Each structure stands twice: as C-alpha cells, then as structure tokens.
Amino acid sequence: MRHIAIIGSGPAGYYTAEAAQKQWGDDVSIDIFDMLPVPYGLIRFGVAPDHQSIKGVTRRYEQTALADNVRFVGNVKVGQDVSIPELQGLYDAVVLATGAPRDREIGVPGDHLRNVFGSAGFVGWYNGHPEFAALDPDLSGHTAVVIGMGNVALDVTRILAKTRDEFAGSDIVGHALDSLMTSNIRRIVVLGRRGPHQIMMTPKELGELGHLSRTAPRVDPDDLPELADDALLEPGIRKAVGHLRTFAAPPESDRADLPLQVEFDFFAAPRGLIGDGKVRAMSVERTRIEDGRAVGTGDFYEIRADLVVSCIGYQTSPIAGVPFDERAGRFANDEGRILPGLYCVGWARRGPSGTIGTNRPDGFGVVELIAQDFPAGGAKAGREGFDALAAERGLDVVSFSDWKKIEEAEQARARDDAPREKFVDVDDMIRATSLAD
Ligand SMILES: Cc1cc2nc3c(=O)[nH]c(=O)nc-3n(C[C@H](O)[C@H](O)[C@H](O)COP(=O)(O)OP(=O)(O)OC[C@H]3O[C@@H](n4cnc5c(N)ncnc54)[C@H](O)[C@@H]3O)c2cc1C
C-alpha cells in the first residue's frame, strides 16, 4: 500500500488525489490535510461569491473525497501542528498543494497606511476567510483605487459596484454585504502600469463589468492602440480588448447621471500612498511601454484614494525545512519535485496563474514522479500513524463528514436568496460539527 499526504484541499490537492486514485486504485491511501476545517481553498475563499456556477467544480472534488481510500484531515496546519519531517516519516510521498495565500506587496512608501489592502485580505473579507473576516474596510470615502489588470481586480471592482439585487444568488458573507450596502464609494479607478494590450483580464469577466446597473465603465480612447493592432493579439485578449473599446465609445454625457464612475487608468504606476494614518491619495507616474515593460516617464500626478486594494499577485507561504525560491515566491522545485518523497502542485508549484483547470495536469504529473521515485509502496504507517500522533497532540481533526455538517448548517442559516451563509469563525465551524445528525 502506498501512503500519500496531500497538504492543501484546493483544486491542486483534489486533482492530485484524483490522479493517484486513477493510477493506483485501491492500492493507495490518501490523506488530504487542510489548516481550515472546510475544504476547497480558493474555490470557497477566492472565486467571487457572485460566480456560483464556477464553484460547482467542488461536486467533482466531492466524488474524489467520498472514496474509501481518500480522507479529509481538516483543521491541521502543516508546519505548525505537524512538521514536514514528521509527515515524511509516516507517508511515502508528501505533496504540497498549499497555494499562494500571501499578497505580493505594492512596495511603495505609505503602503502600510490604514485602508490599504492586498486582494488576499480584501477578497478573504467578502468571502468569509476566518483570517480576514474582521478586516472591516472603511467604505465611507468617495474614491477606491484598485491596482492591477487581471481578473482579481475585476472581481474586486464588481463587488464594490454591485447593488443589493445584483448580489441575489451569491454567497457573499453577511458582514460584507451589510458594509457594501452602506458604501459611499462613488468612483473606482482601476489602475495598471501597462496598456490595454497587456491586460490579463478574460473577456467574460470584463464584459460583465459593462452590464452593471449603477455604472458604465470608462476607458480613455487615447489609451487604446490602433484598432488594426488588435489582430496581433491572442484571440481571448483580443475579445477582452474589444470590451475596452466598447467602454471607450459612449460620450461622457452618457455617464454623467450614473451614481458610480468606474474608470480605467492605463500606463499608470503607483509611486506612493499619501495620508495621515489613513490613506487619502495616491501618487502616480505615467508610464510608456518599452519592449513590453512599463517604464516611468517622469510625469507624476495625484489621485484621490480613500480605499486602496492591490491585486498584483500572490506568493506561497514558506514551510520550515522546505526549499523555497524567494524570487519566484514558491517552493523550489523541478517540474513538481522538490526532492524524492516531497513534491508540490498548483500555485505552490507554478505561482499564481491560470484557471482552476490549469491545476489538473499538475496532479497527473506529480503522480508520475511519485511512481518513478517509488515504484513499489513502502512500509510506512500512513494514516494510522498520523491518527496516533494527532491523538497524542490532542489535535481537533475535522473529517469530511464533519465538513458536511458544517455545510448543512451554513445552508440552513442562509439568506432567502443565498445558497449558504458561511461561518467566518473557526470555533463556529467546529461547533457545527457536533450538531446532531
Ligand atoms: C480572488 C481569486 C479569484 C479567482 N477566481 C477564479 C475563477 O473565477 N475561475 C478560475 O478558474 N480560477 C479562479 N481563480 C484561480 C483559482 O482559484 C486557483 O487556480 C486555484 O485555487 C489554485 O489552486 P491550489 O490548490 O494551488 O491553491 P488553493 O486553492 O489556494 O488551495 C490551497 C489550500 O491549502 C491550504 N493550506 C495552505 N497552507 C497550509 C498549511 N500549512 N497546512 C495545511 N493546509 C494549508 C489552504 O487552506 C487551502 O485550502 C481565482 C483566484 C483568486 C485568488
């Protein structure tokens, strides 16, 4: 019997379990650890609450989770409750699927001011991540600046822009919905160092921004390259740029009466945040593109910024004893192998890019590596060994059936128009596991 520990229950973790099942059938035993009592990583805490159909992918992971040889081991933080060497002593292979939960820093003076957030925190707040549920962003100001030209920046902008009715069917957590419904924000500036042709936004998400009731996004026509140049773009980006052209078309007067202005500020690099305790403005330098890179022009200006959310990428959290590539912000690995017996997949392997499905081949790839490194199963203690260790340490492990109780309790307390009201506190999650069947 082969014993595999997968650390992280997001897409990369479940795709790895699925691949291992396909490869070894009943001849493998898989424990999927997560530091939280609830599974699925960014499907629960990253993917936007108003994109429920995307979250439907968890039904596939549940099929994997319910197999006899797969176990969810929730509420166990690897590196804290149990170490990597301990797991290596118990399992033939340890696969890190811990994602990239830390924000890349803006790295400009003033980025420590109040009401300046990274997207991990801000998205975690409206999605009910226990670590960020108490973030309490101040939405009483007039202007929000969202830094970044990817889909996360679009998610944040859309969430800040929506009306109560537009949240129907979403699972945005109650505390965020209440706060957003009393928001005074009247202007959102989406700011990026490069230009329309360098965006990382997908057409569907960009198009969605054009259908909101309170706003009509605005792009400065002067920022757009010649139409003929769009032909050189990859089809997805070309379509997305088409939406930007649509946003540039209507006359200014069409937007004047709308309660919220959403403006794209291209070729704009943040150089400093200004405020006295709390942020109130941003210093910006105009850029131009040279060899695909944004370089400063020396032309500076200031914009109002009562709230700043930077959506410029993420990094993996190091774990004691695991080689880490500081520059790339992920575990040091060769195609997923850190060293024989220790592997990584998903964002912990590749960094924060691609869609949910991009993580799937990682799972299959790593299973091949494990098969090469360990052609036969070893004689490790596997899950029984871990259970003994957990009992000795008094760990409060949450199983998959415990999670199903949490899920049921969240569904039972949902608003009328919502699929669930998430618990945002780990203690509340644990309490729900002891509710009667
Ligand atoms: C804001 C946002 C929105 C997104 N929206 C979309 C979308 O609409 N469509 C799409 O296709 N993709 C989307 N993505 C991308 C998608 O979420 C990722 O590709 C995917 O979640 C990465 O999977 P992963 O398993 O590598 O990491 P994660 O999903 O982050 O999972 C990592 C897991 O590891 C656990 N963990 C971390 N450290 C430890 C530890 N020390 N011990 C135990 N457990 C640990 C975490 O709790 C977490 O459950 C979005 C991403 C973000 C950030």
Short mmCIF file of all heavy atoms in Angstrom, two decimals, residues 104-129:
data_model
loop_
_atom_site.label_atom_id
_atom_site.label_comp_id
_atom_site.label_asym_id
_atom_site.label_seq_id
_atom_site.Cartn_x
_atom_site.Cartn_y
_atom_site.Cartn_z
N ARG A 104 1.52 39.77 -2.91
CA ARG A 104 2.76 40.47 -3.29
C ARG A 104 2.60 41.92 -2.87
O ARG A 104 1.53 42.52 -3.05
CB ARG A 104 2.93 40.42 -4.81
CG ARG A 104 3.98 39.43 -5.25
CD ARG A 104 4.23 39.54 -6.74
NE ARG A 104 4.69 40.87 -7.11
CZ ARG A 104 4.49 41.43 -8.31
NH1 ARG A 104 3.86 40.78 -9.25
NH2 ARG A 104 4.93 42.64 -8.59
N GLU A 105 3.65 42.49 -2.30
CA GLU A 105 3.48 43.85 -1.77
C GLU A 105 3.58 44.90 -2.87
O GLU A 105 4.28 44.71 -3.86
CB GLU A 105 4.54 44.10 -0.70
CG GLU A 105 4.22 43.31 0.55
CD GLU A 105 5.23 43.48 1.65
OE1 GLU A 105 6.13 44.33 1.51
OE2 GLU A 105 5.10 42.76 2.65
N ILE A 106 2.87 46.03 -2.66
CA ILE A 106 2.94 47.12 -3.65
C ILE A 106 4.36 47.69 -3.64
O ILE A 106 4.90 48.06 -4.68
CB ILE A 106 1.96 48.28 -3.35
CG1 ILE A 106 0.61 47.77 -2.86
CG2 ILE A 106 1.79 49.18 -4.57
CD1 ILE A 106 -0.35 48.89 -2.45
N GLY A 107 4.94 47.75 -2.43
CA GLY A 107 6.33 48.20 -2.32
C GLY A 107 6.54 49.67 -2.63
O GLY A 107 7.50 50.03 -3.29
N VAL A 108 5.59 50.51 -2.20
CA VAL A 108 5.78 51.96 -2.36
C VAL A 108 5.64 52.60 -0.99
O VAL A 108 4.98 52.03 -0.11
CB VAL A 108 4.75 52.58 -3.36
CG1 VAL A 108 4.91 51.98 -4.73
CG2 VAL A 108 3.33 52.45 -2.84
N PRO A 109 6.22 53.79 -0.79
CA PRO A 109 6.06 54.45 0.51
C PRO A 109 4.57 54.62 0.84
O PRO A 109 3.78 54.93 -0.06
CB PRO A 109 6.73 55.82 0.31
CG PRO A 109 7.61 55.66 -0.88
CD PRO A 109 7.02 54.59 -1.74
N GLY A 110 4.21 54.39 2.08
CA GLY A 110 2.82 54.59 2.51
C GLY A 110 1.95 53.36 2.38
O GLY A 110 0.76 53.39 2.70
N ASP A 111 2.53 52.22 1.94
CA ASP A 111 1.66 51.06 1.71
C ASP A 111 1.19 50.41 3.02
O ASP A 111 0.39 49.49 3.02
CB ASP A 111 2.29 50.02 0.77
CG ASP A 111 3.61 49.49 1.26
OD1 ASP A 111 4.03 49.85 2.38
OD2 ASP A 111 4.24 48.71 0.51
N HIS A 112 1.68 50.95 4.16
CA HIS A 112 1.22 50.44 5.46
C HIS A 112 0.04 51.27 5.99
O HIS A 112 -0.48 50.99 7.06
CB HIS A 112 2.38 50.55 6.47
CG HIS A 112 2.83 51.97 6.61
ND1 HIS A 112 3.69 52.56 5.68
CD2 HIS A 112 2.48 52.95 7.48
CE1 HIS A 112 3.87 53.84 6.01
NE2 HIS A 112 3.15 54.09 7.10
N LEU A 113 -0.37 52.33 5.27
CA LEU A 113 -1.45 53.19 5.77
C LEU A 113 -2.74 52.40 5.94
O LEU A 113 -2.96 51.38 5.27
CB LEU A 113 -1.68 54.35 4.80
CG LEU A 113 -0.61 55.45 4.81
CD1 LEU A 113 -0.79 56.37 3.60
CD2 LEU A 113 -0.68 56.26 6.11
N ARG A 114 -3.62 52.90 6.81
CA ARG A 114 -4.91 52.23 7.01
C ARG A 114 -5.75 52.32 5.74
O ARG A 114 -5.66 53.29 4.98
CB ARG A 114 -5.68 52.89 8.16
CG ARG A 114 -5.57 52.08 9.44
CD ARG A 114 -6.50 52.59 10.51
NE ARG A 114 -6.24 53.98 10.84
CZ ARG A 114 -7.11 54.98 10.67
NH1 ARG A 114 -8.31 54.75 10.17
NH2 ARG A 114 -6.79 56.20 11.00
N ASN A 115 -6.59 51.32 5.53
CA ASN A 115 -7.47 51.20 4.35
C ASN A 115 -6.72 50.92 3.05
O ASN A 115 -7.24 51.17 1.96
CB ASN A 115 -8.38 52.43 4.20
CG ASN A 115 -9.84 52.01 4.19
OD1 ASN A 115 -10.20 50.97 4.75
ND2 ASN A 115 -10.69 52.78 3.56
N VAL A 116 -5.50 50.39 3.20
CA VAL A 116 -4.76 49.87 2.04
C VAL A 116 -4.70 48.35 2.23
O VAL A 116 -4.19 47.88 3.25
CB VAL A 116 -3.33 50.43 1.98
CG1 VAL A 116 -2.55 49.83 0.81
CG2 VAL A 116 -3.35 51.94 1.90
N PHE A 117 -5.24 47.61 1.30
CA PHE A 117 -5.32 46.16 1.45
C PHE A 117 -4.76 45.45 0.23
O PHE A 117 -4.83 45.97 -0.88
CB PHE A 117 -6.78 45.71 1.63
CG PHE A 117 -7.48 46.38 2.77
CD1 PHE A 117 -8.40 47.38 2.54
CD2 PHE A 117 -7.21 46.02 4.09
CE1 PHE A 117 -9.05 48.02 3.59
CE2 PHE A 117 -7.84 46.65 5.14
CZ PHE A 117 -8.77 47.65 4.89
N GLY A 118 -4.28 44.24 0.46
CA GLY A 118 -3.97 43.35 -0.66
C GLY A 118 -5.24 42.58 -0.98
O GLY A 118 -6.16 42.50 -0.16
N SER A 119 -5.27 41.99 -2.18
CA SER A 119 -6.51 41.30 -2.56
C SER A 119 -6.74 40.05 -1.71
O SER A 119 -7.88 39.67 -1.48
CB SER A 119 -6.50 40.95 -4.04
OG SER A 119 -5.31 40.29 -4.40
N ALA A 120 -5.67 39.41 -1.19
CA ALA A 120 -5.90 38.22 -0.34
C ALA A 120 -6.78 38.61 0.84
O ALA A 120 -7.75 37.92 1.18
CB ALA A 120 -4.58 37.64 0.14
N GLY A 121 -6.46 39.74 1.45
CA GLY A 121 -7.24 40.21 2.59
C GLY A 121 -8.63 40.68 2.18
O GLY A 121 -9.63 40.26 2.77
N PHE A 122 -8.69 41.51 1.14
CA PHE A 122 -9.99 42.10 0.77
C PHE A 122 -10.96 41.03 0.24
O PHE A 122 -12.12 40.97 0.63
CB PHE A 122 -9.78 43.20 -0.27
CG PHE A 122 -10.99 44.08 -0.43
CD1 PHE A 122 -11.27 45.08 0.49
CD2 PHE A 122 -11.87 43.89 -1.48
CE1 PHE A 122 -12.40 45.87 0.38
CE2 PHE A 122 -13.01 44.67 -1.61
CZ PHE A 122 -13.26 45.67 -0.69
N VAL A 123 -10.44 40.15 -0.62
CA VAL A 123 -11.29 39.07 -1.16
C VAL A 123 -11.66 38.11 -0.02
O VAL A 123 -12.80 37.65 0.07
CB VAL A 123 -10.56 38.33 -2.31
CG1 VAL A 123 -11.30 37.07 -2.72
CG2 VAL A 123 -10.35 39.26 -3.49
N GLY A 124 -10.68 37.84 0.87
CA GLY A 124 -10.94 36.98 2.03
C GLY A 124 -12.03 37.56 2.91
O GLY A 124 -12.84 36.83 3.47
N TRP A 125 -12.07 38.89 3.00
CA TRP A 125 -13.09 39.56 3.82
C TRP A 125 -14.49 39.30 3.25
O TRP A 125 -15.38 38.84 3.94
CB TRP A 125 -12.80 41.06 3.87
CG TRP A 125 -13.90 41.89 4.43
CD1 TRP A 125 -14.31 41.94 5.74
CD2 TRP A 125 -14.74 42.80 3.71
NE1 TRP A 125 -15.36 42.82 5.87
CE2 TRP A 125 -15.64 43.37 4.64
CE3 TRP A 125 -14.82 43.20 2.37
CZ2 TRP A 125 -16.61 44.30 4.26
CZ3 TRP A 125 -15.78 44.13 2.00
CH2 TRP A 125 -16.67 44.67 2.95
N TYR A 126 -14.68 39.55 1.93
CA TYR A 126 -16.05 39.38 1.42
C TYR A 126 -16.41 37.92 1.19
O TYR A 126 -17.58 37.57 1.05
CB TYR A 126 -16.34 40.28 0.20
CG TYR A 126 -15.58 40.07 -1.10
CD1 TYR A 126 -15.67 38.89 -1.83
CD2 TYR A 126 -14.81 41.10 -1.64
CE1 TYR A 126 -15.01 38.74 -3.03
CE2 TYR A 126 -14.13 40.96 -2.84
CZ TYR A 126 -14.23 39.77 -3.53
OH TYR A 126 -13.57 39.61 -4.73
N ASN A 127 -15.37 37.04 1.19
CA ASN A 127 -15.65 35.61 1.04
C ASN A 127 -15.63 34.86 2.38
O ASN A 127 -15.72 33.65 2.42
CB ASN A 127 -14.62 34.97 0.10
CG ASN A 127 -15.09 34.96 -1.35
OD1 ASN A 127 -16.28 34.90 -1.63
ND2 ASN A 127 -14.14 35.02 -2.27
N GLY A 128 -15.42 35.58 3.49
CA GLY A 128 -15.53 34.97 4.81
C GLY A 128 -14.36 34.10 5.22
O GLY A 128 -14.54 33.14 5.98
N HIS A 129 -13.13 34.40 4.75
CA HIS A 129 -11.97 33.64 5.24
C HIS A 129 -11.74 34.02 6.71
O HIS A 129 -11.65 35.22 7.03
CB HIS A 129 -10.73 33.99 4.42
CG HIS A 129 -9.57 33.07 4.65
ND1 HIS A 129 -8.94 32.97 5.87
CD2 HIS A 129 -8.95 32.18 3.85
CE1 HIS A 129 -7.97 32.07 5.79
NE2 HIS A 129 -7.96 31.57 4.57
#
